[in-house]
């Protein structure tokens, strides 16, 4: 399939080519070969984008919510209509199987549709006061917003931010991952075709440090939303402090999965194995640290290894592929180092454990009896590796689940209702899935605690991160 992406910047309502600009080579991770070049924004481009956002701010915040909603609905419709085209671009840029890519496209469209309606229910409240007096509480747009998103879900994570910000009345300048410029450009093409006013939604690619310092350090930008690694999130937080800019951070995780001996074992395995290797494990909420109760530990490993060996790895454009390559050349090296370290410290390699042939592939891998001293038990692998260890009772399981400084997502499998209630309370994570992995929906908040960040995306809470509270009192 030919890579068919129009790689441009979108600034102040117009598409900018690579003429006179540096460029970045886009690589197909299934082959390791270049497939296109995306222009990188210059300092002048960023200044122009900031000026356009500043001009657009008073006009967009004054635009009726019905008008904003209609544009978002139209953008969602166009994204769905173009889903096959966008998904093919996404697979070639990022590597995930075509079915997963199309699911991500539809999920991105759902964010625009949901926020188009949710903004109409942003009622505020009226406080109780004596007759003749009024005190009301309203929410207003925080102002021009900068978003930074990663390559693992380049469309869906971008849509979570952009849809909420636009619905709230905030102009947006987005710096998506330059590894996946074609699919993210298609999202902004849909917004442009839906009639988004000039300067309200802008797309810039470029050097991460240059763009972040220019946008976060500008007095125009009043809100920053970032999804990515813990070190980069802390760096952006320091930059935002200088200008008192509000910031939302969705950072790394290392999700524990607690498997109790009363679970339906076959049903649980049929759920956890596909989820572990979804997007080659490059998922911030990927189930990673599997803690399994003693009585079923051996049976769990046997079933997990059997299912893992059947996961078909290959080019995401092939219909029978169930797991594609890792996103870039750095990832196989990182995964190999973690697997080798675990094996050297006593872990058993029960499936996979090796690089694939060509491209950026690494086999679906299962490690058993992984000691707590192994690096992979303490660092997010962000790849197709499941690590397992035993536990005896509830207290030990909770201790291991909460041991790390991360607190994004956690999962547990049990048929005991009382235990399920206790797990929901005791696990330290922003999201907990009990007998399910479905934790990311348009109407639900998505975010972490501890080193996994703060603030939410999705749901009513996601809208509120792009708003400020104002109390108005009248006597």
């Amino acid at each position: 399939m030919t890579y068919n992406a129009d790689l441009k910047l979108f600034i102040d309502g117009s598409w900018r080519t690579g003429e006179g600009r540096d460029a970045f080579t886009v690589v197909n991770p299934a082959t390791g070969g270049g497939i296109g070049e995306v222009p990188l924004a210059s300092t002048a481009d960023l200044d122009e984008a900031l000026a356009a956002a500043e001009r657009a701010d008073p006009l967009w915040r004054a635009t009726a919510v019905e008008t904003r909603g209609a544009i978002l609905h139209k953008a969602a419709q166009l994204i769905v209509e173009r889903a096959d085209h966008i998904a093919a671009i996404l697979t070639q840029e990022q590597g995930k199987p075509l079915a997963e890519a199309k699911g991500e496209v539809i999920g991105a469209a759902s964010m625009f549709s949901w926020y188009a309606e949710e903004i109409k229910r942003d009622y505020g409240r009226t406080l109780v006061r004596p007759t003749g007096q009024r005190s009301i509480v309203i929410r207003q747009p925080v102002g021009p917003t900068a978003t930074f998103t990663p390559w693992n879900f380049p469309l869906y994570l971008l849509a979570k931010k952009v849809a909420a910000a636009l619905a709230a009345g905030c102009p947006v300048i987005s710096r998506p991952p330059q590894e996946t410029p074609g699919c993210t450009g298609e999202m902004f093409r849909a917004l442009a075709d839906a009639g988004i006013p000039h300067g309200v939604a802008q797309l810039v690619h470029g050097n991460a440090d240059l763009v972040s310092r220019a946008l976060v350090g500008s007095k125009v930008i009043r809100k920053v939303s970032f999804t990515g690694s813990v070190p980069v999130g802390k760096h952006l937080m320091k930059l935002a402090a200088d200008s008192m800019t509000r910031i939302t951070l969705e950072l790394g995780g290392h999700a524990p999965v607690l498997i109790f001996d009363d679970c339906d074992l076959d049903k649980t395995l049929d759920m956890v194995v596909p989820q572990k290797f979804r997007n080659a494990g490059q998922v911030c909420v990927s189930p990673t640290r599997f803690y399994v109760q003693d009585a079923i530990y051996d049976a769990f490993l046997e079933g997990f290894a059997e299912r893992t060996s059947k996961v078909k790895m290959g080019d995401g454009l092939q219909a029978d592929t169930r797991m594609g390559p890792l996103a870039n050349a750095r990832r196989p090296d990182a995964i190999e180092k973690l697997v080798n370290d675990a094996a050297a410290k006593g872990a058993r390699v029960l499936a996979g454990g090796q690089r694939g042939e060509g491209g950026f592939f690494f086999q679906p891998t299962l490690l058993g009896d992984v000691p707590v001293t192994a690096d992979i038990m303490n660092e997010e692998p962000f790849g197709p590796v499941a690590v397992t260890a035993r536990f005896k009772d509830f207290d030990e399981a909770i201790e291991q689940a909460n041991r790390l400084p991360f607190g994004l997502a956690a999962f547990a499998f049990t048929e005991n209702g009382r235990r399920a209630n206790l797990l929901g309370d005791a696990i330290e994570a922003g999201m907990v899935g009990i007998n399910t992995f479905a934790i990311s929906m348009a109407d639900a908040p998505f975010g972490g605690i501890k080193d996994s960040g703060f603030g939410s995306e999705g749901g009513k809470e996601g809208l509120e991160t792009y708003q400020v509270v104002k109390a108005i009192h009248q006597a």
Side-chain angles (χ1 to χ4, degrees):
M1 182 180 291
T2 302
Y3 181 65
N4 184 18
D6 192 7
L7 306 179
K8 295 179 181 178
L9 309 173
F10 186 59
I11 298 174
D12 198 14
S14 66
W15 295 95
R16 312 296 174 87
T17 67
E19 185 177 355
R21 297 178 175 85
D22 292 334
F24 176 83
T25 300
V26 182
V27 173
N28 183 339
T31 65
I35 54 177
E37 287 193 339
V38 61
L40 304 182
S42 65
T43 300
D45 290 323
L46 297 172
D47 289 342
E48 185 178 355
L50 286 165
E54 187 172 30
R55 290 193 302 271
D57 182 35
L59 301 176
W60 186 241
R61 69 171 54 229
T63 300
V65 294
E66 292 81 7
T67 303
R68 284 186 235 150
I71 292 173
L72 297 187
H73 270 308
K74 181 62 176 177
Q77 176 189 337
L78 292 172
I79 291 170
V80 171
E81 290 174 358
R82 302 167 183 176
D84 289 338
H85 171 66
I86 300 173
I89 294 173
L90 171 53
T91 291
Q92 291 174 86
E93 292 178 331
Q94 198 270 346
K96 66 184 61 178
L98 196 56
E100 289 186 23
K102 188 167 182 179
E104 181 176 343
V105 175
I106 300 302
S110 74
M111 300 302 299
F112 287 96
S113 296
W114 195 82
Y115 278 112
E117 294 300 315
E118 180 63 14
I119 190 60
K120 299 174 186 177
R121 297 185 287 270
D122 190 35
Y123 302 124
R125 58 196 174 102
T126 301
L127 308 181
V128 177
R129 291 293 183 267
T131 300
Q133 298 181 25
R134 291 288 183 270
S135 289
I136 62 173
V137 181
I138 64 173
R139 292 183 176 274
Q140 294 182 310
V142 66
T145 295
T147 75
F148 301 88
T149 45
W151 43 257
N152 59 328
F153 288 92
L155 276 174
Y156 187 64
L157 296 177
L158 182 60
K160 271 188 173 183
K161 301 176 188 298
V162 172
L166 293 179
C170 303
V172 178
I173 302 175
S174 293
R175 191 271 184 189
Q178 56 197 33
E179 294 93 340
T180 56
C183 62
T184 51
E186 289 297 322
M187 179 186 294
F188 278 77
R189 190 168 300 282
L191 283 166
D193 293 345
I196 200 79
H198 289 192
V200 173
Q202 301 181 89
L203 176 74
V204 296
H205 299 285
N207 174 273
D209 187 61
L210 170 68
V211 176
S212 62
R213 290 185 184 278
L215 297 186
V216 180
S218 169
K219 293 182 178 179
V220 172
I221 297 299
R222 300 312 308 151
K223 166 68 192 291
V224 173
S225 183
F226 171 77
T227 298
S229 70
V230 174
V232 175
K234 291 181 177 180
H235 169 68
L236 290 178
M237 193 173 177
K238 292 174 182 177
L239 293 180
D242 290 338
S243 54
M244 287 294 289
T245 303
R246 291 175 57 177
I247 189 166
T248 296
L249 299 173
E250 192 264 279
L251 308 178
H254 200 342
V257 188
L258 309 183
I259 310 291
F260 288 86
D261 59 15
D262 67 339
C263 75
D264 183 328
L265 185 57
D266 283 334
K267 180 180 178 181
T268 299
L269 284 165
D270 287 341
M271 294 175 65
V272 300
V273 175
Q275 280 294 321
K276 172 62 256 180
F277 301 119
R278 179 172 68 104
N279 200 25
Q282 299 168 126
V283 183
C284 56
V285 296
S286 177
T288 301
R289 294 181 290 141
F290 291 84
Y291 296 106
V292 187
Q293 202 158 18
D294 277 330
I296 61 170
Y297 182 75
D298 292 334
F300 179 85
L301 291 186
E302 181 181 354
F304 205 126
E306 179 184 359
R307 288 165 174 80
T308 299
S309 67
K310 296 177 181 177
V311 176
K312 176 68 165 59
M313 181 175 68
D315 190 325
L317 294 178
Q318 301 300 317
D320 61 345
T321 293
R322 293 296 174 266
M323 192 188 87
L326 298 174
N328 56 57
R330 302 184 302 276
R331 300 310 307 148
D333 292 339
I335 299 302
E336 184 176 50
K337 182 179 179 182
L338 289 171
V339 170
N340 290 344
D341 171 80
K345 292 175 179 174
R348 293 185 291 147
V349 180
L350 302 175
Q354 302 293 325
R355 290 171 177 264
E357 296 182 3
F360 308 140
F361 290 96
F362 199 93
Q363 295 173 345
T365 298
L366 172 64
L367 301 180
D369 303 327
V370 184
V372 72
T373 56
D375 291 345
I376 201 168
M377 270 296 196
N378 301 284
E379 302 173 15
E380 182 182 22
F382 218 64
V385 185
V387 298
T388 60
R390 300 172 182 266
F391 74 85
K392 293 180 180 179
D393 54 28
F394 182 92
D395 289 342
E396 183 182 1
I398 294 300
E399 179 184 359
Q400 291 303 312
N402 294 341
R403 180 177 60 84
L404 297 181
F406 308 110
L408 187 58
F411 308 94
F413 289 83
T414 179
E415 294 299 311
N416 185 307
R418 175 167 175 76
R419 178 185 289 144
N421 288 335
L422 293 172
L423 286 165
D425 287 342
I427 293 174
E428 296 175 352
M431 298 164 287
V432 179
I434 300 176
N435 299 327
T436 183
F437 289 106
I439 61 173
S440 179
M441 290 80 74
D443 61 352
F446 187 102
I449 60 174
K450 301 195 290 188
D451 273 12
S452 291
F454 51 82
S456 295
E457 294 177 329
K460 170 178 173 288
E461 293 80 4
L463 185 67
E464 291 174 351
T465 65
Y466 296 97
Q467 297 176 315
V468 292
V469 176
K470 179 182 288 186
I472 302 173
H473 305 279
Q474 180 177 351

